[in-house]
Amino acid sequence: GEADLQGYYLEAGWMFGGRRGYRGGRFDRPDVGAALGEGGFGAWSIVARADSLDQSDGGLDGGELDTFIVGADWWPTTHSRLGINAFWSDVDYGTSTSGLDPAFAAQVGAGVESDDVSGIVVRLQFDF
């Protein structure tokens, strides 16, 4: 039979100096109230997110991944964004190596059961 894998996420955020709509399962481009260079300083947002992915079902043990993220974004204009996110992840590798990247399969093969990963991601985006 087919595996029944589970996952979820919960996200909350707040935007200052603009607004962002959500339609059809995705966020709209932000409406920046007063863009940089047009008498304003753009828009800012803060966000927190928690997510979990459980890839185990019956005889399949693909592990579990839990992540917590906090971030901030600055939209100087409607078509540009600078963002920073900090993340903390806890991974349980499970026992299955089917379909895994060789580096992760080597971890499982070496008997590594879990790992904690954290980092910071910076993103500069232009949207045309």
Side-chain angles (χ1 to χ4, degrees), residues 19 25 35 65 89 116:
R19 60 180 276 282
L65 175 66
S89 294
D116 294 320

Side-chain angles (χ1 to χ4, degrees), residues 39-55:
F41 294 101
W44 293 85
S45 70
I46 55 173
V47 66
R49 176 182 169 132
D51 60 52
S52 181
L53 178 61
D54 182 354
Q55 299 185 107

Side-chain angles (χ1 to χ4, degrees), residues 74-94:
W74 174 46
W75 282 272
T77 69
T78 300
H79 297 280
S80 60
R81 176 175 108 178
L82 176 63
I84 185 168
N85 289 322
F87 68 90
W88 299 266
S89 294
D90 178 34
V91 62
D92 169 9
Y93 284 111

Side-chain angles (χ1 to χ4, degrees), residues 14-68:
W14 193 264
M15 189 161 199
F16 307 91
R19 60 180 276 282
R20 238 177 141 185
Y22 186 79
R23 267 187 296 199
R26 54 190 293 193
F27 285 101
D28 293 332
R29 176 181 285 135
D31 176 19
V32 176
L36 186 67
E38 296 177 8
F41 294 101
W44 293 85
S45 70
I46 55 173
V47 66
R49 176 182 169 132
D51 60 52
S52 181
L53 178 61
D54 182 354
Q55 299 185 107
S56 299
D57 182 40
L60 174 66
D61 184 11
E64 187 172 339
L65 175 66
D66 297 306
T67 303
F68 181 70

